[in-house]
Amino acid sequence: MTTSANRAAHSSALKTSALKTSALKTVTVVTAAAGLMVLGVGSASAHVRVDPASTSAGGFSQLTFRVPSESAAAKTTKVTVTLPTATPFTSVSVKPMDGWTAKITEAALPAPVTVEGAKITKAAATVTWTADAAHQLGPNEYQTFSISVGRLPEAGTTVALPAAQTYSDGTVVKWNQPETAGQPEPEHPVPSFVTTAAADEHSHAAPAAAAAPAADTATADTATADTAAAASTTPAAAAPDNTFGIVGLGAGLLGLAAGTAALVRTRKPRQN
């Protein structure tokens, strides 16, 4: 009888050990999969992108560029955004930020363009931000850069804004690759947005247009619009990106749930 009891106990111990090993493998697989998901999200969020406050045709908008520093060995020292020439902006102003010097460069258009009855032969062509030594972006840091522009072109127009990111080691990354429907996203997609139908002047659908300057960047209205934009825009100092933390927390909870379920199974009494 004693031998039989010992054998039964030994068999039960072996089964419990096997179940625990299986549970551990399950948790490991789930955690690894979640980790791959986190890496995928990180890759997508690393792109330079533009977020328009308004896309209403004929209006003004604040465009905010989010620029991450991706190099592990060098710092981001300069960012240049190229503005459209086929549908040029007649008004461009820059939101000032500590540690960065902004410069708007005008250039002759490839061909004259008529905007609101006026023939335009030159317009703002680029906006360049250059950092001082203390404000260059290191690894795992990002910064936001904002400009106020107008007027936006007719509805359905894709406004492409190629960006060039310069690093302290001389490397220049050009974010200028167009995206094609049905095709994988390119390595360095161009920041862009599509304009929408003009908002009713009595509606609140396009607050950026309502706060925009009347015509020229040198007017007092421009300064007012920029001041209002500054009050609602991310502060100049680099802020931590919580994307990885949120996704990582979800992955951890998923792994914990899987592990708990597996352990519960191992402790469930077996029916003989």
Side-chain angles (χ1 to χ4, degrees), residues 125-214:
T126 62
V127 180
T128 300
W129 292 268
T130 305
D132 61 28
H135 289 80
Q136 296 175 1
L137 303 180
N140 301 318
E141 294 181 341
Y142 77 93
Q143 185 55 277
T144 56
F145 305 85
S146 295
I147 59 177
S148 176
V149 302
R151 297 187 177 266
L152 298 184
E154 63 182 11
T157 301
T158 297
V159 180
L161 301 154
Q165 183 175 10
T166 302
Y167 286 90
S168 56
D169 61 0
T171 301
V172 179
V173 178
K174 295 184 177 181
W175 300 89
N176 60 0
Q177 298 173 331
E179 297 187 55
T180 304
Q183 297 297 320
E185 184 181 56
E187 184 178 2
H188 298 105
V190 60
S192 63
F193 66 94
V194 179
T195 56
T196 55
D200 186 335
E201 62 179 2
H202 298 296
S203 72
H204 299 283

Side-chain angles (χ1 to χ4, degrees), residues 220-239:
D221 287 342
T222 300
T224 302
D226 287 345
T227 301
S232 61
T233 306
T234 303

Side-chain angles (χ1 to χ4, degrees), residues 85-104:
T85 55
T87 55
F89 300 128
T90 57
S91 173
V92 178
S93 57
V94 179
K95 176 188 174 183
M97 54 192 299
D98 292 340
W100 292 79
T101 301
K103 180 181 179 181
I104 299 175

